[in-house]
Amino acid sequence: FDFIQLGRSLIAQPDLVNKAKSNLKFKSKCIHCNECVGSIEYEGGVYCPLFNPKWDNEMKFLITGAFGNLGLMCVDQALQMGFQVKCFDLDNKNSKKLAANYGSKIEVTLGDLRDEKLLYQLIEDVDAIIHNASVLPPTTEDNPSLAYDINVVACKKLIEVAEATNKKPTFIFPSSVTV
């Protein structure tokens, strides 16, 4: 007896069960961001905002925290779906190494999320933002003021900057229980 719970994954990929049956190595596109929950009362039905079939491949996504675990999943999925991808993460050795693996497939900006001027530059040409950048434990406990600056203040500023642009990009905030 096998019991598999699927919910959000089927919203992102209605054909998931059939694909999984035919390929045991198959992986769902769903990153469990819970953004589909916001579409429950949508007139056209529930949909996955990450993989909205109304979006075309000319769309550009900004992925913050692009070289963290969840960020890398988002980058890979967006590229697989044919979207243009702009990655943002900390300017460190690990980010540079991971970015180099993608070559010219992605646009990369490294810096500090608290840099408001940089936020405007990042957002000016994107259609959607997947915001993964955050400070995680144990750093949140060791340096709570840094965690607050990044996880609250910088996140709020990113939303304000996005709202202030003419394009009004879709804002997707996966978050996690550790943030």
Side-chain angles (χ1 to χ4, degrees):
F1 175 69
D2 290 327
F3 179 83
I4 301 170
Q5 186 276 332
L6 296 171
R8 297 171 292 186
S9 300
L10 288 173
I11 294 169
Q13 243 171 319
D15 60 343
L16 176 67
V17 175
N18 290 332
K19 283 188 177 180
K21 277 178 160 179
S22 66
N23 181 355
L24 294 177
K25 293 181 182 179
F26 177 77
K27 187 176 178 184
S28 169
K29 294 177 182 178
C30 180
I31 62 166
H32 311 289
C33 67
N34 288 324
E35 294 294 322
C36 55
V37 174
S39 70
I40 287 174
E41 295 181 10
Y42 175 66
E43 201 172 286
V46 178
Y47 69 94
C48 174
L50 283 178
F51 308 110
N52 188 332
K54 297 174 188 169
W55 289 355
D56 62 43
N57 291 357
E58 298 301 313
M59 289 187 66
K60 183 183 271 190
F61 281 74
L62 167 64
I63 302 173
T64 69
F67 304 118
N69 292 331
L70 181 57
L72 287 168
M73 287 173 49
C74 293
V75 170
D76 290 341
Q77 191 62 49
L79 287 172
Q80 183 180 350
M81 296 184 73
F83 295 120
Q84 298 172 47
V85 179
K86 184 185 237 186
C87 297
F88 177 75
D89 214 315
L90 292 171
D91 188 357
N92 60 37
K93 189 176 178 180
N94 188 56
S95 293
K96 290 175 184 173
K97 180 182 174 185
L98 291 167
N101 292 335
Y102 289 94
S104 62
K105 295 179 188 173
I106 60 172
E107 182 182 331
V108 178
T109 302
L110 301 174
D112 190 326
L113 193 62
R114 297 170 291 182
D115 182 344
E116 187 174 340
K117 184 178 176 183
L118 181 58
L119 294 181
Y120 280 98
Q121 293 170 1
L122 284 171
I123 292 174
E124 68 186 354
D125 63 342
V126 299
D127 301 291
I129 300 165
I130 303 176
H131 179 52
N132 300 307
S134 62
V135 175
L136 303 174
T139 307
T140 52
E141 285 78 28
D142 297 340
N143 193 341
S145 86
L146 173 68
Y148 182 80
D149 283 350
I150 300 294
N151 296 353
V152 178
V153 177
C155 178
K156 183 179 176 193
K157 182 51 71 178
L158 183 64
I159 292 168
E160 289 170 359
V161 170
E163 287 178 328
T165 65
N166 290 331
K167 245 184 173 179
K168 307 277 186 263
T170 300
F171 195 93
I172 300 165
F173 184 54
S175 191
S176 74
V177 294
T178 60
V179 174

